[in-house]
């Protein structure tokens, strides 16, 4: 009788041990699934950018978009402001999944000058010497791929002209409006240029 009781006790302990981890495993699995990253979107193309990053094409409906505006800063440098559509910036160290988010690369005349995770940026004057330049913002996914629509990278470009400022001069509102009208754009969101530092439209 005591032997039977002992066997039942051991059996009960075994059942509890087996059931315990299974229950914990199910809870952990549910928690893991709840934190799962979204599936990547679009399709990879054979084309790559100048840095060798592959293109990721998405359809026009709901596609990411970016616009750029560049204006002379109050003191030195240039104020860059991006406007985004169907896209959000990811924090540094975000999981490398292409799902409508990521960062923007900022180029001056095709040269990478910054990687942005916020819509505002102060472009140092030393990166924009005297003359006319193109400032481009291009969108990248968290996995490093380039967002592409109809085979073209999602980007926007503004033409700016830097000249030697005269003492006490500042760009006028009229010059700013003229410059915006002549800006170039390569993105559905649009891009706007800026006047030069002497107040003349580029």
């Amino acid at each position: 009788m005591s032997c039977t009781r002992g066997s039942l006790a051991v059996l009960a302990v075994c059942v509890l041990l087996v059931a315990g981890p299974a229950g914990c495993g199910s809870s952990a699995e549910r928690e893991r699934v709840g934190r799962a990253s979204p599936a990547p979107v679009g399709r990879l193309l054979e084309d790559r950018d100048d840095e060798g990053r592959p293109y990721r094409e998405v359809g026009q409906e709901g596609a990411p978009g970016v616009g750029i505006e560049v204006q002379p800063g109050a003191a030195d440098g240039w104020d860059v402001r991006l406007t985004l559509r169907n896209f959000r910036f990811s924090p540094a160290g975000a999981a490398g999944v292409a799902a409508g988010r990521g960062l923007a690369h900022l180029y001056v005349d095709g040269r990478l000058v910054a990687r942005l995770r916020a819509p505002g940026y102060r472009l140092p004057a030393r990166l924009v010497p005297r003359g006319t330049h193109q400032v481009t913002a291009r969108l990248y996914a968290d996995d490093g791929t380039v967002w592409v629509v109809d085979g073209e990278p999602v980007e926007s470009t503004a033409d700016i002209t830097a000249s030697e400022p005269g003492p006490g001069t500042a760009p006028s509102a009229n010059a700013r409006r003229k410059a915006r009208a002549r800006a170039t754009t390569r993105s559905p969101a649009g891009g706007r240029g800026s006047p030069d530092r002497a107040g003349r439209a580029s």
Side-chain angles (χ1 to χ4, degrees):
M1 195 70 165
S2 60
C3 180
T4 303
R5 286 181 187 150
S7 299
L8 288 174
V10 170
L11 180 61
V13 170
C14 290
V15 169
L16 286 174
L17 287 176
V18 170
C24 293
S26 298
S27 175
E29 180 67 18
R30 283 194 300 272
E31 186 178 344
R32 186 189 66 79
V33 170
R35 292 196 316 258
S37 299
V41 299
R43 64 186 184 92
L44 292 177
L45 305 180
E46 293 184 3
D47 295 338
R48 293 174 178 264
D49 70 358
D50 293 339
E51 298 170 339
R53 299 176 185 272
Y55 283 8
R56 179 178 295 277
E57 186 167 51
V58 293
Q60 287 188 352
E61 185 177 353
V66 61
I68 186 170
E69 181 179 353
V70 185
Q71 297 288 350
D76 195 16
W78 299 79
D79 292 330
V80 178
R81 174 64 56 178
L82 305 183
T83 54
L84 304 170
R85 189 184 68 247
N86 300 325
F87 182 86
R88 68 182 188 277
F89 286 111
S90 301
V97 177
R101 62 188 186 191
L103 68 160
H105 287 195
L106 190 69
Y107 299 87
V108 174
D109 298 331
R111 180 170 57 93
L112 178 65
V113 296
R115 293 179 175 87
L116 308 183
R117 294 188 179 274
Y121 179 72
R122 172 59 66 90
L123 183 63
R126 62 182 170 77
L127 298 178
V128 187
R130 183 174 183 175
T132 300
H133 305 276
Q134 290 188 327
V135 181
T136 301
R138 181 182 300 155
L139 298 185
Y140 285 76
D142 282 329
D143 65 353
T145 55
V146 186
W147 289 110
V148 169
V149 176
D150 291 334
E152 296 294 329
V154 177
E155 63 183 30
S156 186
T157 297
D159 291 333
I160 62 173
T161 299
S163 62
E164 295 298 331
T169 59
S172 67
N174 186 48
R176 290 176 187 270
R177 286 193 291 272
K178 288 181 181 177
R180 287 178 181 175
R182 288 202 297 273
T184 60
T185 178
R186 298 176 189 164
S187 166
R192 292 181 287 183
S194 309
D196 64 22
R197 296 189 175 279
R200 294 185 301 275
S202 56

